[in-house]
Structures are given as structure tokens and as C-alpha cells.
Amino acid sequence: MTGNVNSTEASREIRIGYDNLENVGQIDIKKIITDTEDQDIVDNIMMIYLNKEKISNPNVEYPDVHISVLSPRMSSGLIDSRLWFTDEGAIIGMRSGESWDRVDYFKINKNDADYIKKQIHYEAE
């Protein structure tokens, strides 16, 4: 086996974005969390996503935040999601195809949603 285990390039990157109110369809990236800088945060958010609970199509429109997980080393997207924060936690819409025409929905509890809010410095508009 060979390889560079001392690489400083992130293997996982979480991008936090918000809808641009002036340009429909444009998402403005406001924060990037990488595993080289904040390993614990990346791992905890990944665990929250792994332990989400599937739900049927909820009645949601404009997401509060867009969260994408990328692998810069592999130049690939791992997760493309939208979140809607609720009183009970949050609803996660995850793209399950090439476009947003196919979306799977999940829910997370209030503690997990609050953790995400804190880490991304979410402020309701």
C-alpha cells in the first residue's frame, strides 16, 4: 500500500448555503466546514445524517438552509440537501437523482437540529 496520509487537503467538506433573494435559483455559500479544520463537527453532522428517520412527502416550500457534503479529494458530491427547521427538529430533503425532481425526506430531532444550527451559525431571517 502506498499513499500520502499526511495530506492537508480535506477529505470531507460541508458547505452551508442560503437562497439568494435577488437571484432565484442561486445559492450563496456562507460557511465551509472541513474535516482538516473541524473533524468533530464534520463527524457529528455526518452521524446526524446517518441516523435520520424517513418520512413521507411533507408540506415544505422554501428551505431555511442548503447543506452539501463534498469530497474534495475525489472531486465528488456526497450529499445534496435542504433543511427546514421546525419546532420538533428539522426536515431534511435529500436529492436522490440527478436533479431536484426526485427528493427523499427525513426528519431529525430537536437536539440534532439545534446542534446543526449552532455549528452553522444559523439565524432565522
Side-chain angles (χ1 to χ4, degrees), residues 46-63:
M46 292 300 294
M47 288 305 296
I48 290 169
Y49 269 70
L50 287 171
N51 290 302
K52 63 199 178 306
E53 181 182 331
K54 183 136 173 93
I55 59 173
S56 55
N57 296 336
N59 185 16
V60 292
E61 278 191 63
Y62 303 104

Side-chain angles (χ1 to χ4, degrees), residues 14-30:
I14 298 176
R15 293 187 179 189
I16 312 303
Y18 296 90
D19 287 322
N20 182 298
L21 301 177
E22 296 175 3
N23 299 305
V24 176
Q26 178 179 321
I27 300 168
D28 295 331
I29 303 301
K30 297 294 186 181

Side-chain angles (χ1 to χ4, degrees), residues 18-117:
Y18 296 90
D19 287 322
N20 182 298
L21 301 177
E22 296 175 3
N23 299 305
V24 176
Q26 178 179 321
I27 300 168
D28 295 331
I29 303 301
K30 297 294 186 181
K31 183 171 178 68
I32 296 175
I33 305 168
T34 64
D35 60 353
T36 55
E37 296 172 2
D38 293 301
Q39 181 75 50
D40 290 342
I41 295 171
V42 171
D43 289 345
N44 288 336
I45 291 176
M46 292 300 294
M47 288 305 296
I48 290 169
Y49 269 70
L50 287 171
N51 290 302
K52 63 199 178 306
E53 181 182 331
K54 183 136 173 93
I55 59 173
S56 55
N57 296 336
N59 185 16
V60 292
E61 278 191 63
Y62 303 104
D64 293 311
V65 65
H66 298 259
I67 296 181
S68 299
V69 180
L70 308 168
S71 173
R73 285 188 196 164
M74 302 301 287
S75 300
S76 63
L78 305 174
I79 295 172
D80 197 3
S81 69
R82 299 172 175 168
L83 269 77
W84 294 263
F85 293 111
T86 67
D87 292 337
E88 297 81 31
I91 295 170
I92 299 173
M94 291 180 64
R95 190 177 63 145
S96 61
E98 292 294 317
S99 71
W100 281 98
D101 293 337
R102 293 184 36 213
V103 181
D104 292 325
Y105 292 97
F106 305 88
K107 68 178 180 178
I108 59 173
N109 66 39
K110 184 160 178 38
N111 288 339
D112 288 344
D114 288 346
Y115 178 83
I116 290 173
K117 283 182 181 180

